[in-house]
């Protein structure tokens, strides 16, 4: 994998290690390494994609939602390979939906949660065929630093009617 890794990504790994050491998670520290990831962009080098896919568990996938000016392309990598699909959701609409959902997250007021924006964002990121493929996976990993980094993935609602029932149960 090292031969296929871009030098800028290697530098990113060095910086990530330094940050972890600064946070007290360096050599000898006790922490669950299975629950942490350092994710760097894939440059398209086939060797890197193949080796990254091989490192994923059988029900694990990497998900890269890319909000472009005129559409959204979601790329998925799992052990079976690379898949992608797109929706007509332009970047400005996707960012507005992210902002609406983020602003509505208030544990003190569950009724304020924007169910429509959460479902519309999900639908704009995951076309039906891609979601059917991902539904078999137990763990989805998203890159840090994207527009979605400010949202927990669990707030992306797959069905608006289901979300309303969940909110009603939590509120009662």
């Amino acid at each position: 994998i090292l031969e296929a890794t871009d030098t800028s990504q290697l530098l990113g790994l060095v910086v990530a290690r330094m940050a972890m050491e600064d946070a007290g998670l360096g050599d000898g520290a006790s922490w669950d390494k299975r629950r942490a990831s350092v994710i760097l962009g894939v440059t398209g080098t086939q060797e890197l994609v193949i080796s990254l896919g091989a490192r994923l568990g059988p029900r694990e996938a990497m998900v890269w939602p890319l909000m472009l000016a005129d559409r959204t392309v979601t790329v998925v990598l799992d052990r079976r390979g690379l898949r992608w699909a797109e929706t007509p959701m332009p970047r400005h609409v996707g960012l507005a939906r992210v902002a609406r959902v983020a602003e509505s997250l208030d544990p003190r007021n569950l009724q304020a949660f924007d169910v429509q924006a959460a479902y519309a964002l999900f639908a704009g990121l995951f076309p039906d065929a891609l979601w059917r493929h991902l539904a078999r996976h137990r763990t989805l990993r998203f890159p840090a630093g994207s527009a979605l980094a400010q949202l927990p993935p669990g707030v992306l609602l797959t069905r608006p009617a289901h979300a309303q029932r969940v909110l009603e149960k939590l509120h009662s």
Side-chain angles (χ1 to χ4, degrees), residues 44-139:
T45 306
Q46 188 173 5
E47 294 85 2
L48 185 59
V49 170
I50 291 169
S51 64
L52 181 57
R55 290 176 172 218
L56 294 170
R59 295 181 60 197
E60 186 175 29
M62 291 291 306
V63 180
W64 290 275
L66 309 168
M67 290 185 212
L68 306 174
D70 62 339
R71 68 189 179 285
T72 296
V73 178
T74 302
V75 178
V76 172
L77 175 67
D78 63 14
R79 282 187 162 184
R80 288 181 255 156
L82 201 59
R83 296 172 187 259
W84 65 275
E86 62 181 69
T87 65
M89 181 176 73
R91 181 174 177 77
H92 73 278
V93 172
L95 293 177
R97 289 175 180 166
V98 168
R100 282 178 46 200
V101 172
E103 290 168 5
S104 74
L105 290 175
D106 182 356
R108 294 164 293 171
N109 184 6
L110 296 176
Q111 293 300 327
F113 181 68
D114 194 333
V115 171
Q116 281 118 357
Y119 174 71
L121 180 59
F122 167 82
L125 295 172
F126 298 104
D128 288 341
L130 191 60
W131 183 245
R132 280 193 301 275
H133 172 73
L134 285 172
R136 294 178 246 159
H137 294 79
R138 186 176 47 187
T139 303

